[in-house]
Each structure stands twice: as structure tokens, then as C-alpha cells.
Amino acid sequence: MAAGKLALRVPPLWLYEVGNILTRNFPAHALTLLESLVAFGMPEGDSGEQWRKETVTLVRERRVTFYDAAYHALALVEHGTFVTADGKYFTKAKEAGAIAFLADFR
């Protein structure tokens, strides 16, 4: 993204998920790290009706969490690719399309 080679989009809940991870794993530096990520300006994708529909469909059909499906649904709606390091999610949801496993992503 910084080099202009990729367009990045995140769902609105990204701040809560990342904030949770940072405060649990890096409590002394969580606020600084979170502020740096916010300043980076990751654009949030459309969280409209189509995104909600895709998210709920992924949850129901793939038996995954709403949190994980939110990222994947954004890729589906915006005709992008959801890149994940979560092997369990990838295995469950790969048939839905618009997903790549981080280890295989180029």
C-alpha cells in the first residue's frame, strides 16, 4: 500500500480488533502503536447493505465468526482479495472466492 502497488480496505471494526490485540500483547506500547496505525490512514470499506448481506451469508454458510467474515465480505463486495494468515478460516471459506492464504500471496 505504501508503495502504491495495493489498495487496502478494512471493515469499520478493524480498530477494535487491532486495539484488542495490541492492548493484550503490547500493553505498554498499545496506545502509541494504535495511534500510528490510525495515522497511517487505512481506508475503511463500505459497510452498507451488500457488505452486511455477504458477511451474514459467509457466517451461515461457512460456519465462521462475523468478525472474520467481515473482512472477507469486504473483499467480495469491493471485488478484491482478502488475504488471511488464519489457516482455519481459509480452509472453511476458500470456496466463497476472493481470498488468499498469506503464505501463498504474491
Side-chain angles (χ1 to χ4, degrees):
M1 180 180 161
K5 295 181 179 184
L6 294 172
L8 179 68
R9 298 283 182 279
V10 291
L13 61 88
W14 80 271
L15 185 65
Y16 302 96
E17 288 205 296
V18 172
N20 185 51
I21 291 167
L22 293 177
T23 55
R24 286 174 181 251
N25 295 312
F26 309 100
H29 305 287
L31 183 57
T32 301
L33 293 168
L34 195 56
E35 292 299 329
S36 294
L37 286 170
V38 169
F40 187 64
M42 291 186 290
E44 291 184 2
D46 180 15
S47 59
E49 182 180 350
Q50 188 60 35
W51 171 79
R52 292 189 300 271
K53 180 180 176 184
E54 290 288 349
T55 304
V56 169
T57 298
L58 285 166
V59 171
R60 280 193 345 239
E61 293 180 358
R62 306 296 169 183
R63 300 189 166 283
V64 295
T65 68
F66 189 92
Y67 298 106
D68 291 338
Y71 293 86
H72 191 177
L74 191 57
L76 288 164
V77 169
E78 296 199 4
H79 308 289
T81 302
F82 170 48
V83 181
T84 182
D86 185 339
K88 287 174 118 177
Y89 182 88
F90 180 77
T91 299
K92 288 180 176 183
K94 65 183 172 185
E95 297 302 318
I99 187 170
F101 191 56
L102 180 60
D104 301 328
F105 185 71
R106 300 200 195 299

